[in-house]
Amino acid sequence: MNSVILTQLQQPKLAHLRTEDTIQRLNRIQPHGLLMVLQQPHLEIIQVSDNTLKILGIHPESLLNHPLQQFLDPEQLAPLQSSLTEEDLNTLNPLNLTVTVGEETRQFEGMVHSLPDNLVLLELEPISPQDQVNFLDFYHLVQNAIAQLRNTQDLEQLYQQTVQEIRQLTKLDRVMLYKFSPEGHGTVLAEAKRTNLKPFLGLNYPAFDIPQPVRQLFVQHGLRVIANAQANPAQLIPDSNPITQNNTDLSATLLRGVAPCHQEYMKNMGVAASVAIPVVQNGHLWGLIACHHQTPITTHYQLRAACELLGQVVSLELTSKKSQAEYDYQVELNAIQGQLLSHLSVADNWVEGLLDHQPNLLDLVNAKGAAVYVDGDCQTLGSTPDLAEIRQLITWLDSEKKPETFFSTHSLAALNPAYESLKSVASGLLALSLSDTQPKYILWFRPEVIQTVKWAGNPQQSIQQGENGDFVLSPRQSFKLWKEAVRLTAIPWQDSEIQAALALREAIHKITLQKTDKLAKLNKALQESETREKEKSQQLEATLAKLRQTHQQLLDTHTQLIQSEKMSSLGQLVAGVAHEINNPVNFIYGNIVHTENYIQEILYMLDLYAQHYPTPVEEIAETAEDIDLDFLLEDLPKMLGSMKVGASRIREIVHSLRTFSRLDESEMKAVNLHEGIDSTLVILGNRLKAKSTRPAIEILKQYGELPDVECYPGPLNQVFMNLLANAIDALEEYNEHRSLEDIKANPNQITLTTEWLKADHRVRITIQDNGLGLPEDKREQLFDPFFTTKPIGKGTGMGLAISYQIITEKHHGTIWCESDHGAKFIIELPVRSS
């Protein structure tokens, strides 16, 4: 068994590695379909695959330099010609085309793609009767697969359910889900296969099995289907594109040819056909759902679209389940961080505050050892290198790495072989610099964790050196299990752990180091003059009071940050829910339109039958009476209309949720404030509805004509949420002392008023309820942190304090409260940021 360092694993001079062909410009296609390169505006055929005689019955030379309408009906060309000015022709796909040659009519499934230089690609795949699918049966199969994926409880269950659903949908011999590591290698996480096939579960594939250009194609163009890897390809004629004088870019096409290297690779694996479904997250290729079949396959458009949809669902579910796990871990780290800050605030020596309590430095980032190095003095905790080795590490960091704030690695020996001797305690290093000018560090260590990597064949066999010294990919001849031991690596540092370390750095600067500097200055002043003891004593008391105030402010700020994080999480949750609902609702809404058209056509057909055959046979007449056909014909369009109205309402709610969250608008921009207020009302709609104890709360909108206001939309929506929620709370508290008859006679109301103060270049927003109002002594404290008029357990006292901060500090506006008939909150904001 070989031993390697993970960060160098199977990386022999990859900078010089080249693939055998330029993948995007192979100039050949898979032979089960044909391809034409068309020039706008007349759609003249300037290149065509050489298999048209076999598929169309037309010699390719007979098609070249002729317009497409020569062999396609003008009615079939109309959608394509009318859309030539569109930026994306993919909205036309797929096209159902019919070609008549002599007396024979052939059906094709067409796909169009736009290219620069006014070029259009047209792919045609023959459709046989066995390719036809029952739409409803296929739709229910896909719908059930999506439901099964969303009902999974964790990542492991999601992985296995994914391969099972994809295999059930495609009927292929083997389906694997594998994920790419940070180094680019792929690991098979789940597998569904025929029982007689060897398992690939747990195997690893080197990064160069899927070169970077291929990965980029997956991100840009999605699904890749190889119908028959060993079939002789169809060549484009002429070889060179007459317009570009180069090979045509076929990267967007489904029929794109298979590189010889990949053909041999599949042959060595015993795979005749494949379907690869990309799983993309944040624009990066997370992994692939790889489907293998031992015989050639035919895939229709519906199946390909369903596979891509399931790939997108898997991507969303990965984000959801991963985000929840990361959020739980982040909450745990936040709690540890809060306790560490508490130790720091009361300790005489900040180093002791970090090392001598529980939890301590090790718990903050889940490390096995830690060292605090300040001005040549070093204190350690847990398993660490010795003092001389730590000093050497500090020197190395200062001279070579020079981290501005932090440095991290999970393989220290890969960066500097001299540190291989530290593997038992320091294969992983996280270094936090506390000073820009002096050697002050906190170091965390993690020991070596030896892993066994199972490869599908020896990866080294995939790379051969050519005569000119370049390294060339070459398919492995064997995929027999090949093991390697990964050494000199530790468990990688997570982003949340690094962020926790950086937050600790800020806390040390703000609390401990500032406190130390101030106390040092005070002691020096006391030593300078004993005669001024009384004055210095007063200065000490003032300084201590200021420190206590600073400490309290830091605690307040910490609590505000937690509250802000909760509101941010709410925004993320709202945006996530809106995104999750949006796709299925659009799918339902779009299908209702088609269903309505189909039913109208069926109704028209029934009407024609009634006109031409007014006297049906006895069995049809009885059945029509049993099912009350007249009522069905009358009620069916109404039922579809109701479904359409319901779907439209859901789309409006989703739009409001997305408007409220505005997570993608972290910078100041000009927005319509009314949209933010209205989206907040939609989210609070359930609290405004009528209940058994009261009628619905009335919302009175007195909107003026406002210009777009430059602001931070997300935080401003949080202010609206706080004020409206407080108004609802106040009305419900007021109702506790009123009878139902009194409430009906004097209903609850919230009045929203907006106006443009043109002379002052400001806008004013007023939110007023008709509750009990607030006495003047309480109004003066409303915006103080932790002050609340609500009962214990119902309020934190942070909502209005944070709202005040958002309005005054982030937007340079003003907010105040008045109380005559109920509570009235007035906000004024500048129209343009200064």
Side-chain angles (χ1 to χ4, degrees):
M1 182 184 296
N2 291 349
S3 296
V4 292
I5 302 175
L6 182 60
T7 53
Q8 296 176 340
L9 189 62
Q10 311 303 330
Q11 304 283 342
K13 302 182 181 179
L14 285 185
H16 304 289
L17 187 64
R18 61 176 175 84
T19 55
E20 183 178 333
D21 295 279
T22 302
I23 297 172
Q24 294 93 330
R25 302 183 184 273
L26 287 176
N27 218 38
R28 55 179 175 262
I29 65 169
Q30 300 181 58
H32 65 278
L34 62 89
L35 183 135
M36 298 179 180
V37 182
L38 311 173
Q39 183 180 16
Q40 300 185 54
H42 303 298
L43 299 182
E44 180 183 350
I45 303 172
I46 62 173
Q47 277 184 293
V48 66
S49 56
D50 62 7
N51 58 345
T52 58
L53 183 61
K54 178 180 178 181
I55 295 179
L56 281 179
I58 303 175
H59 201 280
E61 276 74 11
S62 300
L63 296 171
L64 284 173
N65 303 317
H66 291 285
L68 192 60
Q69 64 181 7
Q70 177 174 301
F71 72 101
L72 277 184
D73 190 293
E75 292 184 1
Q76 298 186 79
L77 281 178
L80 177 58
Q81 289 176 322
S82 63
S83 302
L84 290 179
T85 57
E86 301 291 334
E87 292 184 2
D88 187 6
L89 292 180
N90 286 327
T91 55
L92 296 174
N93 296 326
L95 295 170
N96 289 320
L97 301 176
T98 302
V99 179
T100 302
V101 180
E103 298 181 356
E104 184 179 359
T105 299
R106 303 181 185 181
Q107 299 289 331
F108 291 89
E109 192 174 75
M111 304 290 287
V112 292
H113 316 277
S114 59
L115 289 180
D117 302 309
N118 290 324
L119 298 179
V120 175
L121 299 179
L122 173 61
E123 301 181 83
L124 295 178
E125 294 183 82
I127 302 176
S128 60
Q130 57 267 30
D131 292 334
Q132 304 296 327
V133 296
N134 183 291
F135 172 77
L136 287 179
D137 291 344
F138 194 73
Y139 168 75
H140 289 306
L141 188 63
V142 174
Q143 187 182 45
N144 180 68
I146 292 175
Q148 293 295 330
L149 293 177
R150 288 180 171 167
N151 287 335
T152 54
Q153 301 301 312
D154 52 40
L155 289 175
E156 295 299 326
Q157 187 179 2
L158 174 64
Y159 298 155
Q160 191 58 42
Q161 194 69 40
T162 296
V163 295
Q164 290 175 359
E165 296 298 335
I166 296 289
R167 183 162 189 257
Q168 181 177 359
L169 185 68
T170 60
K171 311 301 182 186
L172 298 181
D173 293 337
R174 185 197 303 271
V175 177
M176 300 176 291
L177 171 68
Y178 64 89
K179 175 185 178 182
F180 295 124
S181 69
E183 292 76 27
H185 314 305
T187 302
V188 180
L189 302 179
E191 179 182 51
K193 64 179 182 64
R194 283 173 40 193
T195 55
N196 64 328
L197 297 179
K198 292 178 60 178
F200 289 169
L201 184 64
L203 293 184
N204 288 262
Y205 293 82
F208 38 76
D209 270 12
I210 305 179
Q212 194 58 38
V214 177
R215 301 188 188 210
Q216 292 173 357
L217 288 179
F218 276 123
V219 174
Q220 295 169 0
H221 302 294
L223 185 116
R224 170 65 161 155
V225 178
I226 298 177
N228 185 354
Q230 305 309 316
N232 291 326
Q235 300 290 333
L236 287 186
I237 56 174
D239 290 336
S240 180
N241 188 305
I243 304 301
T244 64
Q245 302 302 315
N246 198 351
N247 286 359
T248 301
D249 183 358
L250 303 181
S251 58
T253 62
L254 289 166
L255 295 174
R256 185 177 73 249
V258 185
C261 177
H262 192 54
Q263 283 182 308
E264 186 176 350
Y265 184 93
M266 294 179 66
K267 179 180 178 181
N268 294 344
M269 289 189 73
V271 176
S274 67
V275 177
I277 307 166
V279 180
V280 179
Q281 288 195 308
N282 300 322
H284 299 285
L285 191 62
W286 179 91
L288 287 176
I289 303 170
C291 312
H292 291 170
H293 207 59
Q294 292 182 309
T295 57
I297 60 173
T298 300
T299 59
H300 51 81
Y301 174 80
Q302 291 91 334
L303 179 61
R304 297 194 297 263
C307 288
E308 286 195 299
L309 175 60
L310 291 181
Q312 294 169 6
V313 171
V314 170
S315 178
L316 293 173
E317 289 300 311
L318 283 171
T319 300
S320 173
K321 290 175 173 56
K322 179 182 178 183
S323 297
Q324 183 60 49
E326 289 179 347
Y327 178 77
D328 292 341
Y329 187 45
Q330 183 66 61
V331 170
E332 179 183 345
L333 293 184
N334 286 344
I336 295 173
Q337 180 183 339
Q339 295 179 63
L340 276 177
L341 292 180
S342 178
H343 299 330
L344 283 175
S345 64
V346 298
D348 294 333
N349 184 310
W350 64 272
V351 177
E352 294 176 358
L354 294 176
L355 301 178
D356 296 349
H357 301 277
Q358 291 293 335
N360 54 38
L361 273 182
L362 300 182
D363 303 306
L364 184 65
V365 296
N366 193 23
K368 296 300 182 183
V372 182
Y373 186 91
V374 178
D375 300 330
D377 181 52
C378 182
Q379 297 191 42
T380 61
L381 182 68
S383 300
T384 69
D386 60 34
L387 180 58
E389 291 167 334
I390 292 176
R391 293 183 186 277
Q392 184 181 2
L393 275 173
I394 297 296
T395 302
W396 177 69
L397 287 170
D398 274 340
S399 62
E400 296 190 24
K401 296 305 174 184
K402 297 183 175 64
E404 295 183 3
T405 52
F406 80 97
F407 165 78
S408 70
T409 178
H410 65 287
S411 182
L412 186 59
L415 299 178
N416 190 336
Y419 294 125
E420 183 174 345
S421 60
L422 304 181
K423 63 182 181 180
S424 61
V425 292
S427 281
L429 170 65
L430 173 58
L432 191 68
S433 174
L434 301 179
S435 174
D436 296 333
T437 58
Q438 300 176 356
K440 295 183 179 181
Y441 285 92
I442 298 178
L443 307 178
W444 288 275
F445 306 101
R446 283 179 177 169
E448 173 189 40
V449 178
I450 300 177
Q451 306 174 60
T452 299
V453 177
K454 300 177 180 179
W455 295 96
N458 184 350
Q460 300 290 357
Q461 295 178 356
S462 296
I463 297 181
Q464 298 180 0
Q465 190 168 9
E467 296 179 358
N468 59 356
D470 287 345
F471 287 90
V472 183
L473 287 179
S474 176
R476 297 189 293 283
Q477 299 299 316
S478 171
F479 290 86
K480 184 178 179 181
L481 179 64
W482 197 81
K483 296 182 180 181
E484 283 189 312
V486 178
R487 297 176 51 250
L488 304 178
T489 63
I491 298 174
W493 306 98
Q494 297 186 31
D495 289 340
S496 55
E497 294 166 343
I498 293 175
Q499 293 304 317
L502 292 174
L504 176 64
R505 180 182 188 273
E506 293 301 316
I508 291 175
H509 277 226
K510 291 181 179 180
I511 299 176
T512 314
L513 297 181
Q514 290 180 6
K515 179 179 177 180
T516 301
D517 290 343
K518 290 181 180 180
L519 289 175
K521 292 178 181 179
L522 181 60
N523 288 331
K524 182 179 179 180
L526 289 172
Q527 293 173 0
E528 287 177 352
S529 177
E530 290 293 335
T531 59
R532 301 170 60 187
E533 182 179 353
K534 183 177 181 180
E535 178 182 356
K536 296 302 181 183
S537 177
Q538 293 174 347
Q539 290 180 1
L540 176 60
E541 291 178 1
T543 302
L544 291 174
K546 188 173 181 180
L547 286 173
R548 284 193 293 268
Q549 181 182 4
T550 301
H551 174 61
Q552 185 61 42
Q553 289 175 349
L554 287 169
L555 292 178
D556 294 349
T557 301
H558 180 65
T559 305
Q560 291 183 30
L561 289 174
I562 293 175
Q563 181 72 8
S564 297
E565 180 65 23
K566 289 180 179 178
M567 291 304 296
S568 175
S569 299
L570 172 61
Q572 294 177 8
L573 176 62
V574 168
V577 170
H579 183 74
E580 285 292 319
I581 295 175
N582 193 45
N583 285 339
V585 167
N586 285 339
F587 184 73
I588 293 170
Y589 187 83
N591 283 333
I592 286 176
V593 175
H594 297 304
T595 304
E596 188 174 27
N597 292 336
Y598 298 158
I599 289 177
Q600 289 299 329
E601 293 174 355
I602 293 172
L603 295 179
Y604 177 70
M605 179 62 72
L606 289 174
D607 184 55
L608 285 178
Y609 269 104
Q611 292 179 26
H612 293 283
Y613 301 98
T615 307
V617 297
E618 182 179 352
E619 183 179 357
I620 294 177
E622 290 176 355
T623 302
E625 183 177 352
D626 289 341
I627 67 175
D628 197 354
L629 181 60
D630 291 337
F631 174 77
L632 291 180
L633 295 177
E634 178 183 354
D635 190 62
L636 187 56
K638 297 179 181 179
M639 180 179 66
L640 282 172
S642 299
M643 293 168 64
K644 192 171 183 180
V645 170
S648 297
R649 176 57 181 155
I650 296 175
R651 293 176 77 188
E652 292 173 2
I653 293 173
V654 170
H655 177 73
S656 296
L657 291 174
R658 297 178 73 172
T659 300
F660 173 78
S661 64
R662 291 184 179 270
L663 291 180
D664 58 338
E665 298 177 11
S666 59
E667 297 180 356
M668 181 168 282
K669 63 182 297 183
V671 299
N672 185 333
L673 295 186
H674 292 157
E675 290 182 356
I677 298 173
D678 291 341
S679 67
T680 307
L681 290 172
V682 170
I683 294 173
L684 292 172
N686 190 55
R687 295 197 62 190
L688 298 170
K689 292 179 180 178
K691 299 181 180 179
S692 59
T693 57
R694 63 163 174 80
I697 297 175
E698 298 177 5
I699 299 296
L700 305 180
K701 295 182 181 179
Q702 299 175 359
Y703 287 174
E705 183 177 343
L706 296 186
D708 288 349
V709 176
E710 288 186 357
C711 63
Y712 296 96
L716 199 56
N717 286 345
Q718 294 176 20
V719 174
F720 298 150
M721 172 70 78
N722 285 335
L723 297 181
L724 287 169
N726 284 348
I728 296 172
D729 290 342
L731 292 173
E732 290 181 343
E733 182 179 356
Y734 179 35
N735 290 341
E736 292 176 0
H737 308 290
R738 303 169 65 197
S739 65
L740 183 59
E741 291 74 18
D742 183 20
I743 297 174
K744 290 181 178 179
N746 300 283
N748 299 141
Q749 293 179 342
I750 297 177
T751 303
L752 301 171
T753 306
T754 62
E755 56 181 318
W756 183 7
L757 308 177
K758 294 184 179 180
D760 298 329
H761 304 290
R762 297 168 76 85
V763 296
R764 176 179 293 169
I765 306 100
T766 303
I767 300 176
Q768 181 175 11
D769 62 66
N770 62 344
L772 285 173
L774 293 167
E776 184 176 354
D777 58 336
K778 290 187 177 181
R779 294 203 302 271
E780 294 176 354
Q781 306 176 64
L782 271 181
F783 301 104
D784 292 343
F786 306 110
F787 177 80
T788 179
T789 61
K790 298 177 183 179
I792 295 175
K794 290 190 176 181
T796 63
M798 293 305 301
L800 289 178
I802 291 174
S803 298
Y804 182 87
Q805 183 184 37
I806 291 172
I807 296 298
T808 59
E809 296 182 15
K810 292 182 73 71
H811 293 88
H812 304 291
T814 55
I815 179 172
W816 71 93
C817 176
E818 298 176 357
S819 183
D820 42 11
H821 301 290
K824 179 196 294 186
F825 285 85
I826 302 99
I827 300 171
E828 287 189 2
L829 299 171
V831 175
R832 297 289 179 265
S833 62
S834 58

